[in-house]
């Protein structure tokens, strides 16, 4: 039986303010400000186990962020880790930081922000 590589990453979750979310929603989230102040609500380690054969042992932060966003809207380890950390479902304007690299949740997925 083949051993599955596990990558442990540090995840920080940043929520956008309710006021910003309300303002952005009035404009259909087209003007989400990636530099708006957000509060850090959770910080934890997340073990990522690639499900597909041939996936490199070390995943890029973007691959992990995508896994976290997709996994959290379904089931599995990210969902369990987020629930344990007290994190709500990620919404447009929220940011997930993976090993220091930040990704903004957008209407169509996520994008890397400086």
């Amino acid at each position: 039986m083949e051993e599955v590589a596990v990558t442990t990453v540090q995840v920080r979750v940043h929520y956008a303010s309710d006021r910003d979310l309300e303002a952005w929603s009035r404009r259909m989230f087209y003007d989400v400000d990636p530099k708006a102040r957000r509060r850090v609500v959770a910080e934890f380690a997340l073990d990522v186990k690639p499900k597909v054969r041939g996936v490199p042992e070390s995943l890029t932060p973007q691959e992990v962020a995508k896994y976290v966003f997709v996994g959290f809207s379904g089931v599995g380890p990210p969902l369990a880790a987020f629930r344990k950390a007290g994190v709500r479902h990620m919404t447009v304007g929220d940011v997930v930081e993976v090993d220091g690299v930040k990704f903004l949740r957008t209407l169509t997925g996520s994008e890397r922000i400086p």
Side-chain angles (χ1 to χ4, degrees), residues 8-101:
T8 301
V9 295
Q10 285 302 121
V11 177
R12 294 177 78 192
V13 177
H14 308 250
Y15 285 169
S17 73
D18 290 339
R19 187 184 68 213
D20 285 339
L21 288 173
E22 186 178 323
W24 297 333
S25 71
R26 277 190 244 119
R27 296 188 298 271
M28 297 297 295
F29 289 103
Y30 292 125
D31 297 325
V32 173
D33 182 0
K35 295 181 182 179
R37 291 191 75 186
R38 291 170 174 80
R39 60 189 168 99
V40 176
V41 293
E43 186 169 355
F44 56 93
L46 176 66
D47 289 337
V48 180
K49 298 177 185 177
K51 294 181 179 181
V52 182
R53 285 187 184 183
V55 172
E57 285 186 25
S58 120
L59 301 172
T60 67
Q62 185 171 10
E63 290 168 327
V64 173
K66 183 177 179 183
Y67 177 81
V68 170
F69 282 132
V70 171
F72 187 59
S73 63
V75 295
L79 181 60
F82 273 47
R83 278 194 180 146
K84 185 176 180 181
V87 177
R88 65 161 163 71
H89 184 77
M90 303 300 289
T91 187
V92 174
D94 291 340
V95 171
V96 169
E97 185 177 342
V98 181
D99 284 345
V101 181

